[in-house]
Amino acid sequence: GNSVTQMEGPVTLSEEAFLTINCTYTATGYPSLFWYVQYPGEGLQLLLKATKADDKGSNKGFEATYRKETTSFHLEKGSVQVSDSAVYFCALSDWGGYQKVTFGIGTKLQVIP
Amino acid sequence: NAGVTQTPKFQVLKTGQSMTLQCAQDMNHEYMSWYRQDPGMGLRLIHYSVGAGITDQGEVPNGYNVSRSTTEDFPLRLLSAAPSQTSVYFCASSEGGTDTQYFGPGTRLTVL
């Protein structure tokens, strides 16, 4: 079956530090890959996505590249802000007669001033 | 557009009680899903629907029922609440295929 692996954290960074959150996946087909973000007390919202190998998703300074050869979709940001403090979920979406979405456990990011 | 709405935001139940969590979307999405979020376990799929009148089980369906009589609404019923069902519940919708999911704000349920 499909699976997504990411570290749970928490990851604590100082403001303006570089961020990397690793995500690797296992899938039988050709999935789409997503990063969702959950701010405190809210539901998840899409941060970025990539639908095929070598695609780069980007939004709000965050980037992730779909690497089929390493089955990875690592999230990066060059300079984090306090407002980026949230939980980040890596996910994959595959088609097996219905839309099947598999989420990682979520990585909590805390950015301190 | 309101997007995906969920009610209530918070609920406390006693063991054995039943209740319905409401979910509605105004985006005319065919696909709707219910997830529960527990610490260290990410989101787990409870039930999903690919259109009005069509539902199926997800990863953790026991103790929950769903129905989909309209495109807009997808209620989740807890038949006889148990402490193991203490969790945060999210409803989500999408156009279909492998598209982006849109999440509601969640319902925090505590079962005593």
Side-chain angles (χ1 to χ4, degrees), chain B residues 8 10-21 63-64 76-87 89 107-112:
Chain B
F10 302 94
Q11 183 71 48
V12 178
L13 293 178
K14 295 181 179 178
T15 297
Q17 287 184 315
S18 62
M19 79 160 295
T20 299
L21 307 185
Y64 307 95
L76 177 72
R77 297 182 186 85
L78 279 70
L79 309 172
S80 177
S84 61
Q85 293 178 305
T86 293
S87 188
Y89 292 85
T107 294
R108 184 174 293 276
L109 175 68
T110 301
V111 182
L112 303 175

Side-chain angles (χ1 to χ4, degrees), chain A residues 34 36 38 44 89 95 99, chain B residues 31 37 90 94 97 99 101:
Chain A
F34 303 81
Y36 286 87
Q38 183 182 30
L44 281 71
F89 290 88
W95 181 254
Q99 179 189 27
Chain B
Y31 287 76
Q37 182 181 29
F90 289 101
S94 65
D99 289 337
Q101 296 213 312

Side-chain angles (χ1 to χ4, degrees), chain A residues 41-89:
Chain A
E42 299 183 9
L44 281 71
Q45 56 186 275
L46 179 70
L47 180 59
L48 53 85
K49 69 177 183 181
T51 58
K52 62 183 187 298
D54 299 326
D55 270 2
K56 177 186 282 188
S58 61
N59 186 26
K60 299 182 181 178
F62 291 89
E63 293 183 339
T65 301
Y66 189 143
R67 301 285 188 200
K68 194 170 189 299
E69 64 276 12
T70 55
T71 60
S72 65
F73 193 55
H74 305 322
L75 182 68
E76 296 181 338
K77 186 176 186 183
S79 176
V80 294
Q81 306 299 314
V82 172
S83 57
D84 293 326
S85 298
V87 181
Y88 293 81
F89 290 88

Side-chain angles (χ1 to χ4, degrees), chain B residues 26-43:
Chain B
D26 62 0
M27 297 174 282
N28 202 35
H29 286 168
E30 288 297 319
Y31 287 76
M32 296 187 74
S33 305
W34 275 103
Y35 296 89
R36 57 177 291 171
Q37 182 181 29
D38 301 292
M41 305 193 75
L43 276 75

Side-chain angles (χ1 to χ4, degrees), chain A residues 12 14 23 28-29 33-35 45 51 53-54 62 68 93 97 109:
Chain A
T12 302
S14 298
C23 171
T28 53
L33 301 176
F34 303 81
W35 277 101
Q45 56 186 275
T51 58
D54 299 326
F62 291 89
K68 194 170 189 299
S93 183
L109 171 65

